[in-house]
Amino acid sequence: MKSVRLRRAVPADAALLHAWDAEPHVIKAVTDDPTAEEAFIDADWEQEISDQSPVSFFLIGEENGRPVGSMQVIDPHLEPTHYWGEIEPNLRALDIWLGPADALGRGIGTAMMTQAIDACFAAPEVTAIVIDPLSSNPDAHRFYQRLGFRPVERRLFGPDDCLVHRLERAHWEARS
Ligand SMILES: CC(C)(COP(=O)(O)OP(=O)(O)OC[C@H]1O[C@@H](n2cnc3c(N)ncnc32)[C@H](O)[C@@H]1OP(=O)(O)O)[C@@H](O)C(=O)NCCC(=O)NCCS
């Protein structure tokens, strides 16, 4: 198995995240706007990284030491932007995107998610993990569902039409 390691994002990663915003597969995963030329258009990565806290932080996935992907981990009940609106406590919400196109489809995302999910459930109070892929991203739905996530609700987040998925702790623990 390839060596995939997750580490916390640091200020020097901002340039990488900016560069990945221009990757067509990242843009497609983030917006249904066919004219978009950049993903996470409002993101100031320097600021996002310096604003990290225990309720919202970024992870960088490295394959044999090369940064290849990013994740955001939030506590959706507590994080200050209240992106998820009214939502129960003791959840985590994840987002994941690989940067270089040559990293796609080689098991790196599965390895990153597996480590991140284990880390989320290491906190005993966490009952489930939620994610919000665009409804138009069936490849991602298949990816999440293979990990045990189940679709629970189609929902608009601003202009984004998303298919919310949820992974229950019991389901994850029964998996192995
Ligand atoms: C989704 C993603 C993290 C999966 O990681 P990965 O390393 O490519 O996936 P793995 O090799 O572990 O697993 C393969 C599965 O990933 C999914 N996948 C592969 N390429 C993908 C792509 N460009 N976009 C979305 N999902 C993809 C498919 O479900 C694939 O399964 P399949 O063989 O049945 O087609 C990665 O493909 C990615 O970053 N895609 C673009 C951004 C994205 O869609 N993020 C999710 C938004 S919520």
Side-chain angles (χ1 to χ4, degrees):
M1 170 110 186
K2 66 180 65 62
S3 163
V4 177
R5 187 177 82 95
L6 282 182
R7 62 163 173 80
R8 283 287 284 265
V10 296
D13 294 316
L16 204 61
L17 290 164
H18 279 300
W20 292 349
D21 278 348
E23 290 286 345
H25 64 272
V26 181
I27 297 171
K28 196 161 159 267
V30 166
T31 175
D32 287 318
D33 177 357
T35 67
E37 291 176 357
E38 205 184 321
F40 303 109
I41 196 137
D42 296 326
D44 174 341
W45 288 116
E46 286 80 3
Q47 193 65 48
E48 298 273 349
I49 290 169
S50 78
D51 287 349
Q52 291 186 103
S53 74
V55 298
S56 177
F57 57 90
F58 294 91
L59 300 170
I60 299 294
E62 293 185 341
E63 180 191 32
N64 300 322
R66 174 197 181 211
V68 285
S70 182
M71 299 189 74
Q72 186 175 19
V73 183
I74 70 170
D75 178 330
H77 183 72
L78 294 179
E79 71 84 22
T81 72
H82 299 295
Y83 171 81
W84 282 81
E86 281 299 310
I87 189 162
E88 69 201 76
N90 298 325
L91 299 178
R92 293 293 179 268
L94 294 180
D95 199 358
I96 179 170
W97 61 105
L98 302 188
D102 68 27
L104 297 169
R106 294 196 285 108
I108 295 170
T110 299
M112 288 173 60
M113 282 293 288
T114 301
Q115 292 175 40
I117 293 167
D118 279 340
C120 289
F121 284 134
E125 70 277 13
V126 173
T127 56
I129 299 172
V130 291
I131 48 168
D132 63 336
L134 289 176
S135 297
S136 61
N137 192 352
D139 291 343
H141 304 163
R142 210 165 52 252
F143 169 75
Y144 291 130
Q145 289 171 18
R146 207 174 284 141
L147 285 159
F149 285 86
R150 294 292 168 255
V152 290
E153 179 193 12
R154 191 165 175 178
R155 174 173 167 190
L156 287 176
F157 288 84
D160 299 329
D161 174 358
C162 296
L163 184 61
V164 173
H165 283 63
R166 182 170 167 130
L167 174 64
E168 302 296 334
R169 170 188 283 277
H171 191 138
W172 181 250
E173 288 178 350
R175 184 171 173 266
S176 52

